[in-house]
Amino acid sequence: MKLFDYAKADSAEAAVREGAEDGTKFIAGGTNLLDLMKLQIETPARLVDISRLPLNDIEDIDGGVRIGALVPNSDLAASPVIRERYEVLSRALLAGASGQLRNKASTGGNLLQRTRCYYFYETAARCNKRVPGSGCDAKEGFNRILAVLGTSEACIATHPSDMAVAMRALDATIVTLGSDGEKRRIAIGDFYRLPGDTPEVENVLRPGELITHIELPPAPEGKQTYRKVRDRASYAFALVSVAGIVAVEDGKITSVRLAFGGLGPMPWRDEGVERLLVGQAPSDELFGQAADLLLRDARGFGSNDFKIPLTRRTLVATLRELTA
């Protein structure tokens, strides 16, 4: 780990002023950043500690909730309002990481985990995300857990967050404060970027911009679930995950929200799949058509080819559960 300067922020306004300086990173729980600093993948010249800012409340707002960016993942999962209204989010949080990491990881930091793969961590390997223009060894290497949707010639890494998948299904809004004092409200569907030719740029945050809150609209109607398929029972990234919310009335599907993890470089959602399902009677044939539509552009890279049929089975099983 290289030497760096360290400062504590006593307000969000002070944090963004200091965060605007070149080479500065914010740190809260540090569960991702510190690992990357130890490997010298991230080498900030300065850390601004935001962990003591008053951003750790969960508040009711207009039938929805406002979540401070510093709420620990464990507290968010255990919150009565989250468990009662947003079960899919609580389930997703409890499916992620370990108890120790959930106690430390912040809500805002979870959204900002680096989209990564084995080769991102291996400094001797070619990785366009780590060294732009160097190449991507993952495409012809070991890519078992990597993306099959939304990839580019430059990168096939997957976004690792379970929480962000549930937030995507819930239409979360990310509230930020910029170094110029500007406050922005960014729909989570607009927050992440596909890799394209610049995989090192993963979201739309500006230099020094700080996530202060995440807002959820009123809980949608229907049954909620989070299904995660992984290589072991705990502490593993998703091979495929589905955050699903489905309402059925008089034998017809009346509303659907489906977001997917483990498939792409961001929490994945295909509104065309949702439109296909609405107004239809639940059936395995219909669910298969939904899977066909979701996976129409899917592409495996060898070790991860199995993800495509696995996703089909996982989606069908999830929809059966939600429409039973």
Side-chain angles (χ1 to χ4, degrees), residues 14 59 193 279:
E59 309 167 276
R193 288 180 45 155

Side-chain angles (χ1 to χ4, degrees), residues 18-272:
E18 298 191 51
E21 297 182 18
D22 288 343
T24 300
K25 292 276 187 180
F26 297 123
I27 187 168
T31 55
N32 187 210
L33 178 58
L34 289 178
D35 282 347
L36 297 176
M37 289 176 65
K38 290 174 186 176
L39 296 169
Q40 297 191 21
I41 295 168
E42 293 275 9
T43 55
R46 192 162 188 253
L47 291 183
V48 176
D49 187 344
I50 60 170
S51 63
R52 293 168 179 80
L53 299 184
L55 299 173
N56 52 9
D57 292 328
I58 303 172
E59 309 167 276
D60 279 292
I61 52 161
D62 300 324
V65 294
R66 191 170 190 242
I67 304 161
L70 297 180
V71 174
N73 287 179
S74 53
D75 289 3
L76 186 59
S79 164
V81 68
I82 299 300
R83 293 176 63 187
E84 291 167 12
R85 295 192 219 164
Y86 307 97
E87 180 187 359
V88 64
L89 177 56
S90 182
R91 283 174 174 257
L93 284 159
L94 292 174
S98 64
Q100 294 92 333
L101 285 172
R102 290 195 296 270
N103 286 339
K104 196 67 178 171
S106 67
T107 301
N110 190 315
L111 292 171
L112 293 175
Q113 291 182 77
R114 294 300 306 271
T115 301
R116 55 198 190 268
C117 76
Y118 314 108
Y119 299 94
F120 176 69
Y121 283 109
E122 178 48 71
T123 55
R126 296 183 306 157
C127 174
N128 288 314
K129 186 178 289 291
R130 181 168 27 80
V131 183
S134 62
C136 175
D137 280 342
K139 287 193 298 182
E140 296 182 2
F142 185 65
N143 46 52
R144 174 176 171 77
I145 67 170
L146 301 187
V148 296
L149 290 171
T151 61
S152 73
E153 291 303 309
C155 186
I156 63 170
T158 43
H159 194 275
S161 175
D162 292 285
M163 184 197 78
V165 177
M167 292 282 198
R168 182 75 180 91
L170 291 166
D171 288 327
T173 298
I174 298 167
V175 183
T176 69
L177 178 65
S179 57
D180 58 358
E182 181 185 359
K183 295 181 180 180
R184 289 205 293 165
R185 295 170 53 81
I186 307 166
I188 192 169
D190 298 326
F191 183 73
Y192 295 106
R193 288 180 45 155
L194 291 173
D197 296 328
T198 55
E200 72 278 10
V201 182
E202 298 174 351
N203 57 62
V204 299
L205 287 182
R206 300 164 182 165
E209 194 168 15
L210 176 69
I211 295 176
T212 60
H213 297 86
I214 296 89
E215 294 178 353
L216 299 179
E221 294 183 358
K223 188 175 180 180
Q224 303 182 21
T225 195
Y226 186 75
R227 183 181 289 253
K228 180 177 181 178
V229 182
R230 47 189 162 179
D231 280 326
R232 57 180 183 266
S234 66
Y235 197 30
F237 292 149
L239 297 172
V240 178
S241 66
V242 185
I245 308 168
V246 177
V248 178
E249 187 175 341
D250 297 329
K252 298 288 181 68
I253 298 171
T254 56
S255 66
V256 181
R257 298 181 185 208
L258 295 168
F260 301 85
L263 298 185
M266 62 175 67
W268 199 261
R269 189 168 173 186
D270 187 328
E271 294 181 355

Side-chain angles (χ1 to χ4, degrees), residues 270-300:
D270 187 328
E271 294 181 355
V273 173
E274 298 172 10
R275 288 194 294 269
L276 172 69
L277 293 166
V278 170
Q280 303 296 316
S283 70
D284 282 357
E285 181 181 0
L286 175 66
F287 301 158
Q289 292 171 4
D292 289 340
L293 185 58
L294 173 69
L295 297 167
R296 63 193 181 279
D297 296 322
R299 175 191 174 192

